């Protein structure tokens, strides 16, 4: 009859004497990089159209949209939201397509935060 050592009888007290034992380390998942969606000023797109775009595609109320539109008008550009890459890319495409369909030269772009 063979006698097996108990946990307290083992060298390291862990119950694992196997030198080939793999230790699984946990990796922390990282948040995806975020991207700023920027609206650029031009001299032709009507201010009310820009307000409409901000309300429709970014879910802003009229006062918020008007404030951002004024920032775009005065400073040349404004950040209208920060999103994951896929969402930011979709929003830019939606705004650009909507502006083209309404024959406005409005520009929208994204950049890494």
């Amino acid at each position: 009859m063979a006698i097996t050592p108990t946990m307290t009888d083992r060298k390291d007290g862990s119950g694992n004497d196997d030198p080939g034992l793999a230790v699984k380390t946990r990796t922390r998942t990282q948040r995806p990089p975020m991207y700023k969606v920027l609206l650029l000023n031009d001299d032709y797109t009507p201010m009310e159209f820009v307000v409409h775009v901000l309300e429709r595609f970014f879910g802003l109320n009229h006062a918020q949209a008007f404030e951002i539109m004024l920032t775009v008008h005065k400073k040349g550009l404004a950040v209208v939201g920060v999103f994951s890459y896929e969402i930011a890319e979709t929003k830019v495409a939606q705004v650009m397509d909507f502006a083209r369909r309404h024959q406005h030269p409005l520009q929208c772009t994204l950049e890494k935060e």
Side-chain angles (χ1 to χ4, degrees), residues 44-46 49 97-106:
Y44 304 101
T45 304
F49 183 79
D97 181 56
F98 190 70
R100 296 300 157 263
R101 283 190 283 131
H102 288 87
Q103 300 176 349
H104 294 298
L106 182 64

Side-chain angles (χ1 to χ4, degrees), residues 9-106:
D9 292 337
R10 302 223 176 176
K11 293 176 195 165
D12 63 359
S14 69
N16 295 325
D17 255 352
D18 186 7
L21 180 66
V23 178
K24 186 176 181 182
T25 58
R26 286 188 162 210
T27 56
R28 296 184 74 194
T29 55
Q30 292 183 349
R31 296 196 106 147
M34 301 302 277
Y35 290 80
K36 298 183 283 190
V37 175
L38 304 164
L39 210 53
L40 309 176
N41 188 42
D42 65 73
D43 294 331
Y44 304 101
T45 304
M47 292 180 177
E48 276 306 312
F49 183 79
V50 175
V51 170
H52 178 69
V53 164
L54 291 168
E55 291 170 345
R56 179 174 178 160
F57 297 107
F58 297 94
L60 302 175
N61 66 38
H62 189 75
Q64 293 168 322
F66 191 82
E67 190 72 30
I68 290 175
M69 177 276 299
L70 283 179
T71 302
V72 171
H73 181 69
K74 291 176 183 176
K75 297 190 176 188
L77 64 90
V79 175
V80 296
V82 179
F83 310 95
S84 67
Y85 180 77
E86 292 78 12
I87 294 172
E89 183 181 46
T90 300
K91 295 224 181 255
V92 168
Q94 288 173 329
V95 169
M96 295 294 289
D97 181 56
F98 190 70
R100 296 300 157 263
R101 283 190 283 131
H102 288 87
Q103 300 176 349
H104 294 298
L106 182 64

